[in-house]
Amino acid sequence: MAFFGLEDLSALSNVDLTIYRYVTQNSDKVAYMRVRDIAKITHVANSSVMRFVHKMGFSSFPEFKAFIQNQGNSTAEQPLFNFINQSNFPADIVNKVQMVADVLYQSDNIILVGMGSSAFLANYATRQLASLGYNSSVVTDPFYPLGQRLKNTSNNTLICYSVSGESEELIALINDFINNDDITIASITGNEASTIARMSRYSLTYKEQEYRIHRYYDLSSQIPALYITEALISVLNNRNAK
């Protein structure tokens, strides 16, 4: 099928053809370019690009780019908004969520730990648990003296959020409580074979490809971890309502 529904290219001017060929051969790049970027690389004026956009039947450049992103590029890796489904979780995830919810329900103190983007989820979970009346707190600094704070407490549950499950700082923090009978360790991680998952008494895992840019910036989706968090909150809310 012809791109933009064009069957006869003879109606296009030489300038239009230049733009057309670049767009159709580089749709993955064009979807994220500006008018002046296309104009510069095709050696035409900005106004020529806009005339081409209008000739293709689009009222604006954003509308043109939306078409490129959602329909023009047939090799897109995944449809927009198709973020998650049952395949993102192990078959026993419901039972595990119920078990962790039971532990939280009986806990006197709940500490949620996370770094980077996982820290936002830990904060969110802490607020939701507090709204339900649970004594919850968050730690986003792996060097926080948590051991001293919990020294004279009992019946605590620590939940660690980590995409990779291999954050050295979090591993060191958790390691201080491995043999502490007053603290139950649980984790929510994207790697069931990770160190943090294996250190946890309860490990709620999910499957999501880890994605980083510029080596350190983690763009991995947190939606599966959020789903698990929401499931825990839902179970606890139902318990409170009884």
Side-chain angles (χ1 to χ4, degrees), residues 29 41 56 69 75 79 83 112 122 127 135 142 152 194 205 241:
K29 299 177 183 177
I41 205 165
M56 295 302 105
Q69 291 171 333
T75 61
F83 293 120
L112 299 104
R127 183 181 178 87
N135 185 22
N152 297 313
S194 66
T205 62

Side-chain angles (χ1 to χ4, degrees), residues 124-136:
Y124 174 75
T126 300
R127 183 181 178 87
Q128 295 296 79
L129 288 167
S131 297
L132 293 178
Y134 292 88
N135 185 22
S136 58

Side-chain angles (χ1 to χ4, degrees), residues 81-169:
F81 300 121
N82 183 20
F83 293 120
I84 193 170
N85 55 52
Q86 189 62 43
S87 67
N88 288 95
F89 304 101
D92 60 350
I93 187 63
V94 173
N95 291 334
K96 286 187 174 181
V97 165
Q98 292 283 357
M99 286 191 292
V100 174
D102 286 339
V103 173
L104 296 178
Y105 185 74
Q106 300 175 47
S107 295
D108 292 331
N109 303 290
I110 303 172
I111 304 96
L112 299 104
V113 179
M115 293 171 53
S117 58
S118 294
F120 291 97
L121 275 181
N123 268 296
Y124 174 75
T126 300
R127 183 181 178 87
Q128 295 296 79
L129 288 167
S131 297
L132 293 178
Y134 292 88
N135 185 22
S136 58
S137 58
V138 63
V139 174
T140 58
D141 175 6
F143 305 108
Y144 180 81
L146 187 58
Q148 289 297 103
R149 176 184 162 190
L150 299 178
K151 191 172 183 179
N152 297 313
T153 64
S154 60
N155 195 24
N156 303 299
T157 298
L158 186 154
I159 300 181
C160 180
Y161 285 83
S162 176
V163 175
S164 68
E166 297 293 348
S167 300
E168 294 181 4
E169 297 88 348

Side-chain angles (χ1 to χ4, degrees), residues 33-234:
M33 294 173 71
R34 297 165 296 183
V35 171
R36 63 175 175 267
D37 296 327
I38 299 174
K40 182 178 180 180
I41 205 165
T42 56
H43 307 290
V44 301
N46 292 354
S47 57
S48 297
V49 175
M50 287 309 304
R51 279 195 295 270
F52 172 81
V53 168
H54 293 148
K55 282 184 180 180
M56 295 302 105
F58 302 100
S59 60
S60 67
F61 189 67
E63 182 184 346
F64 169 78
K65 290 212 303 181
F67 173 85
I68 296 292
Q69 291 171 333
N70 299 326
Q71 298 182 39
N73 185 7
S74 61
T75 61
E77 291 184 0
Q78 63 178 23
L80 196 61
F81 300 121
N82 183 20
F83 293 120
I84 193 170
N85 55 52
Q86 189 62 43
S87 67
N88 288 95
F89 304 101
D92 60 350
I93 187 63
V94 173
N95 291 334
K96 286 187 174 181
V97 165
Q98 292 283 357
M99 286 191 292
V100 174
D102 286 339
V103 173
L104 296 178
Y105 185 74
Q106 300 175 47
S107 295
D108 292 331
N109 303 290
I110 303 172
I111 304 96
L112 299 104
V113 179
M115 293 171 53
S117 58
S118 294
F120 291 97
L121 275 181
N123 268 296
Y124 174 75
T126 300
R127 183 181 178 87
Q128 295 296 79
L129 288 167
S131 297
L132 293 178
Y134 292 88
N135 185 22
S136 58
S137 58
V138 63
V139 174
T140 58
D141 175 6
F143 305 108
Y144 180 81
L146 187 58
Q148 289 297 103
R149 176 184 162 190
L150 299 178
K151 191 172 183 179
N152 297 313
T153 64
S154 60
N155 195 24
N156 303 299
T157 298
L158 186 154
I159 300 181
C160 180
Y161 285 83
S162 176
V163 175
S164 68
E166 297 293 348
S167 300
E168 294 181 4
E169 297 88 348
L170 293 180
I171 292 172
L173 185 152
I174 294 173
N175 192 57
D176 290 339
F177 307 108
I178 287 292
N179 298 314
N180 190 327
D181 294 334
D182 291 321
I183 300 177
T184 299
I185 300 173
S187 61
I188 298 177
T189 176
N191 184 356
E192 63 181 355
S194 66
T195 302
I196 289 177
R198 288 185 283 108
M199 294 172 73
S200 306
R201 185 178 302 180
Y202 301 97
S203 179
L204 301 175
T205 62
Y206 55 88
K207 301 172 185 176
E208 182 68 34
Q209 184 175 359
E210 193 172 350
Y211 179 49
R212 294 178 182 271
I213 61 173
H214 307 304
R215 187 177 179 182
Y216 299 109
Y217 303 142
D218 189 357
L219 291 183
S220 305
S221 175
Q222 292 280 7
I223 291 179
L226 179 60
Y227 261 56
I228 292 174
T229 301
E230 294 289 3
L232 287 170
I233 297 300
S234 178

